[in-house]
Amino acid sequence: MGRGARARVGVAVVAGALLVAGCQGAGDEDGPGRTGGAGTAERVPGSQAPVTPAADEPDPSVRQAQEECRKEQRTSCYTFDQLRTVYGVKELKATGKGQTVAVVMPVGSPVLETDLRAFSEKLRLAAPQIEVVRHAPDSGEAAPFDWDSDVMVSQAKDTTLAVQAVHAMAPEAKVVLHQVDAAPGEADEGLTADGARRLADVARQVVEDDSADVLSVSFAVPEKGELGRELRTKFKEMAPVFLDAARKGITVVAPAGDGGAAPTEEDGKPVRGVSWPASDPSVFAVGGLRLGLDDEGRRTDPDVVWDDRAGASGGGVSEVFDRPSYQNRVEPAVGAQRGVPDLAMTASGDGSTMIHFTEDGKTPTWVPMAGTSLAAPLFAGIVADADQEAGDRVGRLHHHLYEMGRDVDAGRKAGLLDVTHGTNGDDGHRATRGYDLASGLGTLDASLLVPALTDR
């Protein structure tokens, strides 16, 4: 899942990057001052976005917190307002209105709704529509939230990250958090096989009930390794469920994972592989990038595949699922197997994104976070915008986006932006022109991509 910034790195559901303790001050973010963008030919996404009118600028306290974060982290700390600019969301008329995004997460946060309201007010977003549906463990008794539990607090921050990311990209969408509670004695275990099965079963329920237009699941299980072997049957069991979601037009989004191209080890050696459910061919897999932005959210240098002290973007080929038809054109990169990711968005610890979180349930702070569990719900929110713009669910995004991305220059005009810098870890894959196993089809500019998806 998401990892918070630098002082400590914690592993949550995905193995996200929990970077630091919160930043309670505020200030300006100064980007690295380099030149370029996700590409420099034609329009650099986000670089020409109009400056936000003063009335819509974030509360000054957000800038203050940003300055404190920069001092503590000694690196970039971004606001969701900057992400709304760089990804072209501010230029959209669509806001996700009338759409429902379901988010499936473990444990949840006892201050989720309070934090989301404060987050929305500070960033001048529409008042949130949030519903929390709790799923009790088989015993029927949920473990009470414990602020002394590092695992539970980490999961609370990850849940906050996912919900605030969706709301930032689609402020008028309804967000339904499906909170999968842990039984007493299990809350400190992190992601177990039983926990992953329960998360998958809740995702199944959302699909079967047809209760959401977009489904964001923020967990990642490496296909290889002990946990993956134990859950192999579940991978296969869920495949027709995710296919049914695609047939219904529900876009299922999952993080590519934070363990790089080799998320597991055998005999002390890294083993290349990918993580599920992102590896399922009916699930849209979102990898991670590092951004360089100025104060307004405009690019100062090209996007780079995420690889830093907080982790690295998942990417590679599945050993469980064969190559789907939409990847036939990228067969030289993926071979006979499903390739991951499909697309990539910000996830870096060196360019972390601040969430609003009430530490200990008492102290409101801004906490820098990283991980592909940030990237995935960002994309989920943009899909909700596209659904609103289309007046219907946009359907099987894989086929549309891979068709758009068959030519890099044509894809750019449709808001698909090639990423050609970086690798996803020490044993990683390198970003190249066109599709690759580090960044997928690249990244996006919603101001171009949403119309391209809805005008076809």
Side-chain angles (χ1 to χ4, degrees):
M1 279 290 282
R3 301 183 187 188
R6 177 198 289 242
R8 63 179 189 276
V9 174
V11 177
V13 179
V14 163
L18 213 156
L19 294 170
V20 293
C23 305
Q24 299 179 47
D28 284 345
E29 198 280 328
D30 70 19
R34 287 161 273 180
T35 60
T40 53
E42 299 177 19
R43 182 176 186 276
V44 177
S47 67
Q48 298 177 24
V51 175
T52 308
D56 294 334
E57 288 182 356
D59 185 273
S61 64
V62 178
R63 290 289 193 189
Q64 264 186 323
Q66 195 175 31
E67 180 64 27
E68 288 300 317
C69 180
R70 287 176 52 238
K71 290 177 181 177
E72 291 179 12
Q73 300 303 312
R74 298 184 180 181
T75 188
S76 300
C77 295
Y78 297 134
T79 69
F80 278 98
D81 188 67
Q82 289 171 288
L83 300 191
R84 282 169 51 79
T85 295
V86 74
Y87 289 123
V89 172
K90 285 187 177 180
E91 298 180 62
L92 293 175
K93 293 181 180 179
T95 57
K97 188 173 183 178
Q99 311 308 306
T100 298
V101 180
V103 177
V104 176
M105 299 288 293
V107 177
S109 167
V111 290
L112 179 81
E113 294 172 77
T114 300
D115 283 328
L116 183 60
R117 286 194 297 270
F119 171 84
S120 191
E121 291 169 3
K122 296 290 186 183
L123 293 182
R124 315 298 194 201
L125 300 174
Q129 302 174 63
I130 178 74
E131 177 184 353
V132 178
V133 179
R134 298 186 65 172
H135 299 268
D138 293 338
S139 65
E141 180 185 359
F145 192 87
D146 181 3
W147 286 103
D148 291 326
S149 166
D150 288 342
V151 171
M152 295 187 85
V153 172
S154 175
Q155 290 172 332
K157 289 176 179 176
D158 282 325
T159 300
T160 302
L161 174 69
V163 169
Q164 291 182 6
V166 171
H167 183 61
M169 297 295 106
E172 293 194 282
K174 179 179 180 180
V175 181
V176 180
L177 170 65
H178 289 268
Q179 177 177 318
V180 183
D181 290 322
E186 297 178 359
D188 287 323
E189 294 181 9
L191 185 63
T192 63
D194 285 343
R197 290 188 188 98
R198 292 187 60 230
L199 289 162
D201 288 341
V202 171
R204 176 203 296 273
Q205 181 180 328
V206 172
V207 173
E208 290 178 347
D209 293 346
D210 200 6
S211 59
D213 304 294
V214 187
L215 170 58
S216 180
V217 291
S218 287
F219 64 99
V221 177
E223 288 183 347
K224 297 177 180 178
E226 183 178 349
L227 188 58
R229 288 190 290 269
E230 190 173 350
L231 288 167
R232 189 62 54 89
T233 300
K234 196 66 176 181
F235 298 169
K236 294 290 189 178
E237 179 187 311
M238 287 297 294
V241 176
F242 291 136
L243 179 59
D244 184 43
R247 288 171 175 160
K248 290 176 176 178
I250 302 171
T251 302
V252 183
V253 182
D258 301 342
T264 56
E265 290 187 353
E266 299 230 354
D267 299 324
K269 297 180 180 180
V271 177
R272 276 186 168 187
V274 296
S275 296
W276 177 87
S279 62
D280 188 289
S282 299
V283 173
F284 204 90
V286 186
L289 302 173
R290 185 183 79 241
L291 305 186
L293 305 178
D294 68 12
D295 290 348
E296 302 301 332
R298 295 169 295 202
R299 281 183 173 85
T300 56
D301 45 29
D303 294 4
V304 179
V305 176
W306 171 41
D307 175 20
D308 59 29
R309 65 189 179 279
S313 177
V317 293
S318 172
E319 71 167 18
V320 178
F321 300 102
D322 294 337
R323 184 184 72 238
S325 62
Y326 58 78
Q327 288 192 324
N328 284 346
R329 291 192 183 93
V330 298
E331 184 271 339
V334 304
Q337 303 303 117
R338 155 71 159 142
V340 172
D342 297 307
L343 203 69
M345 298 182 74
T346 185
S348 173
D350 286 341
S352 56
T353 301
M354 301 188 307
I355 63 168
H356 190 279
F357 185 74
T358 304
E359 296 278 8
D360 297 324
K362 300 173 184 178
T363 308
T365 63
W366 287 94
V367 178
M369 299 287 286
T372 54
S373 279
L374 164 61
L378 286 174
F379 183 69
I382 290 172
V383 175
D385 294 333
D387 285 349
Q388 179 197 352
E389 186 76 13
D392 195 3
R393 294 171 179 170
V394 291
R396 297 188 177 188
L397 283 179
H398 288 106
H399 296 276
H400 304 317
L401 292 177
Y402 277 84
E403 179 64 26
M404 291 177 186
R406 63 188 301 179
D407 178 86
V408 169
D409 295 328
R412 183 175 184 79
K413 293 177 182 178
L416 273 183
L417 314 169
D418 198 18
V419 173
T420 59
H421 296 77
T423 58
N424 60 333
D426 293 339
D427 194 39
H429 304 277
R430 182 167 296 280
T432 61
R433 181 175 171 83
Y435 179 90
D436 54 69
L437 296 172
S439 66
L441 293 166
T443 190
L444 63 89
D445 178 354
S447 71
L448 299 175
L449 184 62
V450 167
L453 288 172
T454 57
D455 290 346
R456 61 177 193 277

